[in-house]
Amino acid sequence: AKHPNKAPALMGFVGFAVVAFCAFATVDAGSSGPRLMTYNVQHGVGLPRLAINLTATAAAIAQVAPDLLAMQEVDNRTDRDAGVDEATWLANATGLSHVAFAPFRNFEHGGFGVAILSRWPLLSVHIVPYVPPGYSGLGDEPRSNCSGTYYVGDYCQGALFVRIQPPGLDPFWFGTTHFGNDGSGHVQFEEATQLIAATNALPESEPVIVTGDLNSYPNSSAVELLSKEFADAWVACGDGPGLTFDSAAPTERIDYVLVRPHGDDRVCANATVPDTQASDHRPLVVDLGSQNNDSSS
């Protein structure tokens, strides 16, 4: 996984959880709302970087027991993973049986991208590829360039959204994204702009959750832009610095949950960063509160 430029004006590499929650109203700590997890799994390679070990990845996920899991850097039938569909393999291993995968890059005869696993059925799936500024949308450019290994400024990322309805709750959108990283932050800022547009295009009457690995520091231009639309769930519900990278001895907070609250309502009950080296990132886990449909609260 690439880590962000450390300049103060940085617009880093984003893979984060964005939560826009109108339907999940006031919550109390310890309330039993959905648990979400965002995790850059580095295609199943942990620290030290020896070999793919999806069993270790599955164990890290099972320890948290999320209801919704967003993953970045996921392989799908690549040569390096012997043709394994990693998202489906992890779904079978964790019991999160509903799967969506978005391949934003062609890699080693397979795909490389982001995935969502859910405890509940997926009512809809929506994929939004990012594009360079000024892209006309005509022909094969620039998506035809999204092959092989990562290269700087290639815009070969995007966002994946699924619409779900947990028992007893209103339907909402849950998504994940993985921004590029050009060192200067121009790509990340542009992708943050496109992400905001994508979330605003979803039905206004339904909440939106986006998850991922931002690779941006809290003072980056990309996060500052996103913060105009969303609040930082770690600030609201976490304790301590919330560092996620690298997993052996993290010094950087680059994985996020961003929240669009409903009025003065709190939208999360708890946020934690579990200690695991099953990837080069540590996961970020957020417990959402129980839905409150009492307008007098």
Side-chain angles (χ1 to χ4, degrees), residues 3 21 124 138 157 159 162 186 198 202 215 276 282:
H3 75 79
F21 263 129
S124 303
L138 302 176
Q157 292 73 232
V162 300
H186 293 109
L202 296 171
N215 246 344
T276 174
R282 292 185 181 184

Side-chain angles (χ1 to χ4, degrees), residues 98-291:
H98 303 280
V99 183
F101 174 74
F104 291 121
R105 185 184 306 280
N106 300 319
F107 184 75
E108 292 189 0
H109 302 103
F112 182 74
V114 300
I116 290 173
L117 309 186
S118 172
R119 192 172 306 283
W120 306 294
L122 310 181
L123 306 179
S124 303
V125 177
H126 184 50
I127 298 173
V128 180
Y130 299 138
V131 296
Y135 173 56
S136 68
L138 302 176
D140 294 330
E141 278 288 321
R143 303 305 299 181
S144 60
N145 293 330
C146 295
S147 299
T149 57
Y150 171 87
Y151 64 94
V152 171
D154 62 10
Y155 284 94
C156 293
Q157 292 73 232
L160 167 66
F161 300 92
V162 300
R163 184 173 180 264
I164 58 173
Q165 184 171 16
L169 298 180
D170 292 336
F172 62 91
W173 291 89
F174 180 78
T176 191
T177 188
H178 197 176
F179 285 5
N181 183 8
D182 69 350
S184 70
H186 293 109
V187 168
Q188 297 88 320
F189 186 84
E190 174 62 29
E191 291 178 346
T193 302
Q194 293 181 35
L195 177 67
I196 290 171
T199 60
N200 288 340
L202 296 171
E204 293 182 5
S205 60
E206 296 181 345
V208 179
I209 306 174
V210 189
T211 59
D213 151 26
L214 287 183
N215 246 344
S216 294
Y217 299 142
N219 66 344
S220 70
S221 296
V223 172
E224 288 179 354
L225 176 65
L226 291 162
S227 295
K228 295 177 181 178
E229 298 283 332
F230 306 102
D232 188 333
W234 181 261
V235 173
C237 303
D239 183 27
L243 306 177
T244 58
F245 187 85
D246 73 11
S247 60
T251 59
E252 303 171 359
R253 183 161 84 93
I254 57 178
D255 298 87
Y256 293 80
V257 173
L258 304 180
V259 180
R260 181 182 295 150
H262 181 238
D264 295 328
D265 291 337
R266 293 177 57 212
V267 293
C268 54
N270 191 45
T272 58
V273 177
D275 182 356
T276 174
Q277 295 183 40
S279 171
D280 61 342
H281 285 245
R282 292 185 181 184
L284 174 61
V285 179
V286 172
D287 292 318
L288 303 173
S290 297
Q291 185 174 3

Side-chain angles (χ1 to χ4, degrees), residues 71-82:
M71 299 184 292
Q72 306 82 47
E73 298 195 18
V74 180
D75 274 15
N76 182 270
R77 306 186 186 282
T78 62
D79 293 343
R80 68 180 173 186
D81 200 9

